[in-house]
Amino acid sequence: MSESNSLIKLGIVGCGEHSHEHFKAAIEVQGVKIIACCDIQDVRARSCAEQYGCDRYYTVLEEMLEEEKLDGVILCTWPIQHLQQIELCLKKGIKNILCEKSLTLSSKEATAIGKLVQQNDAFLMEGCKYLHHPAIHKLERILSYGDIGKIDSIRATFSNYEPEEAADNKEDWRYCKDCGGGVAYDWMSYLVNACNHFSGSSPKRVFASGTQSKQYEVFTRIFGMIEYENGVVAFIESSKEANFSEELQITCTNGILRLPIAWGIFGETKITQTHRKPDWDYILTDSYEIEESNAFALQLKNFTAVIQGLEQPRLPLHQSIQNVRLIEAMVTSCLEGRIIEF
Ligand SMILES: NC(=O)c1ccc[n+]([C@@H]2O[C@H](COP(=O)([O-])OP(=O)(O)OC[C@H]3O[C@@H](n4cnc5c(N)ncnc54)[C@H](O)[C@@H]3O)[C@@H](O)[C@H]2O)c1
């Protein structure tokens, strides 16, 4: 941490659409300040610096890293850039990195990131904000009480009707295969993370089927099934040709838990738990009200608490590496039409 005082000074790389959530989170979290920002587009870096009160802005990452005394960096750039930018940050002595999802685009690169972070005795957490929301903590608590029984299956969906013909900005990285666009490394990063997280096990085999855009070659639909070592089975649905859905459903021996919007929760929400006993002809539904929370602020709080040695990362790096392996396996399964064994 900075010697002058206990304020944690951060720099952010990438001042695009999503960066605003990090800037706003930093305003909400005490003891943290984004003092510098960087974007290759001068206008974006300047406008974020002005809007959020950064002391300085840059268009070259290396310059920001050399000129600023930073306690950590937030990478809010495209997945294809993460490995190279992580490498540079570590080389310039940055010890703490919050890297947006997806960590990267291949298991080879993810493993390389794991090694680099370890060799540099650094800390890196993938930004997967949903995991920090109280609704997810509540699901964990309900499952840990034991009354609901053992998990049988998990179903995670992230879909929306977004036909590419209607897209107003084809420059968007989400249409760029090489940047990590398409549902695979974007929306599906939440889904595979949730399935890995709640299954409490390692994937054994995977099968997936999907559709690729003819024009952009990115995946616009992926439907997959994961079988875990402990017998839990997960179903993943992500489509740009379906109506909106961001649901997480966990089916257990004594009940079914549903969180209707799991990945981008805004406002208050509710978990429902339904169950029916063998001799009943009706279904009981319990509800758990969840207060409004800013998951980005909670994520930043966790990141800074880890820097201060007060908490463990909510998403350890080895799990992020596993997420990438799983997405890669699903993509391979779609392309080759076969089951992928781990
Ligand atoms: N957790 C979430 O809820 C969430 C939501 C949306 C996006 N994301 C993630 O955030 C990341 C960024 O997505 P976005 O939608 O903001 O993209 P974006 O295209 O809007 O922004 C990326 C920015 O990075 C800049 N950039 C590119 N190369 C750079 C470089 N070498 N140095 C500095 N800046 C550079 C671009 O000019 C652009 O302004 C992605 O990894 C995405 O998956 C996360």
Side-chain angles (χ1 to χ4, degrees), residues 70 105 115 252:
L70 300 171
L105 298 178
K115 279 196 186 133
C252 304

Side-chain angles (χ1 to χ4, degrees), residues 38-290:
C38 171
D39 198 296
I40 45 169
Q41 298 186 54
D42 183 276
V43 64
R44 287 194 174 184
R46 182 159 26 96
S47 98
C48 279
E50 283 169 8
Q51 190 177 348
Y52 300 106
C54 299
D55 301 335
R56 279 164 297 278
Y57 69 89
Y58 297 83
T59 53
V60 179
L61 171 58
E62 196 160 359
E63 280 177 20
M64 180 173 89
L65 298 173
E66 279 169 3
E67 288 177 30
E68 300 293 333
K69 205 165 183 303
L70 300 171
D71 298 307
V73 163
I74 301 173
L75 293 179
C76 195
T77 46
W78 310 310
I80 186 73
Q81 300 173 303
H82 293 164
L83 170 60
Q84 195 209 344
Q85 291 173 343
I86 289 166
E87 220 167 354
L88 184 60
C89 287
L90 294 172
K91 198 172 139 204
K92 296 290 174 186
I94 299 294
K95 289 287 181 198
N96 305 294
I97 301 171
L98 177 61
C99 173
E100 259 310 333
K101 57 92 191 153
S102 170
L103 179 64
T104 186
L105 298 178
S106 73
S107 54
K108 195 174 159 210
E109 283 192 359
T111 307
I113 290 173
K115 279 196 186 133
L116 281 169
V117 168
Q118 197 181 18
Q119 281 161 5
N120 286 275
D121 196 19
F123 154 55
L124 186 149
M125 184 167 80
E126 183 187 8
C128 205
K129 89 305 181 155
Y130 91 95
L131 205 48
H132 300 262
H133 196 280
I136 303 298
H137 289 280
K138 181 69 184 175
L139 283 171
E140 288 167 3
R141 281 198 299 279
I142 298 169
L143 290 163
S144 73
Y145 297 150
D147 301 352
I148 195 160
K150 198 170 145 286
I151 298 179
D152 182 54
S153 67
I154 302 166
R155 187 174 151 265
T157 71
F158 194 153
S159 296
N160 201 19
Y161 186 60
E162 292 183 8
E164 61 192 43
E165 312 82 71
D168 51 4
N169 178 12
K170 296 290 184 343
E171 299 299 306
D172 189 331
W173 72 275
R174 291 181 167 82
Y175 290 94
C176 166
K177 185 182 172 220
D178 293 338
C179 296
V183 296
Y185 291 90
D186 186 9
W187 293 352
M188 266 177 43
S189 18
Y190 299 112
L191 312 185
V192 296
N193 180 261
C195 295
N196 285 342
H197 183 74
F198 283 103
S199 70
S201 183
S202 306
K204 190 173 162 193
R205 65 183 133 226
V206 162
F207 180 74
S209 171
T211 308
Q212 270 175 295
S213 153
K214 284 196 177 64
Q215 194 177 353
Y216 302 101
E217 292 178 43
V218 296
F219 276 98
T220 53
R221 300 166 74 231
I222 294 187
F223 300 86
M225 186 175 138
I226 308 159
E227 187 186 336
Y228 286 92
E229 294 284 356
N230 63 359
V232 171
V233 171
F235 302 95
I236 280 181
E237 291 175 35
S238 190
S239 173
K240 294 203 175 205
E241 293 176 36
N243 206 261
F244 174 83
S245 173
E246 286 195 20
E247 191 176 6
L248 175 62
Q249 177 180 311
I250 303 176
T251 302
C252 304
T253 42
N254 301 331
I256 301 177
L257 292 166
R258 287 189 185 88
L259 181 59
I261 297 179
W263 328 118
I265 308 172
F266 297 99
E268 294 167 357
T269 189
K270 196 158 66 173
I271 293 169
T272 59
Q273 179 177 343
T274 55
H275 65 282
R276 196 182 102 167
K277 290 194 175 163
D279 51 343
W280 292 357
D281 54 5
Y282 55 91
I283 293 170
L284 277 181
T285 303
D286 297 323
S287 296
Y288 303 93
E289 306 289 335
I290 310 291

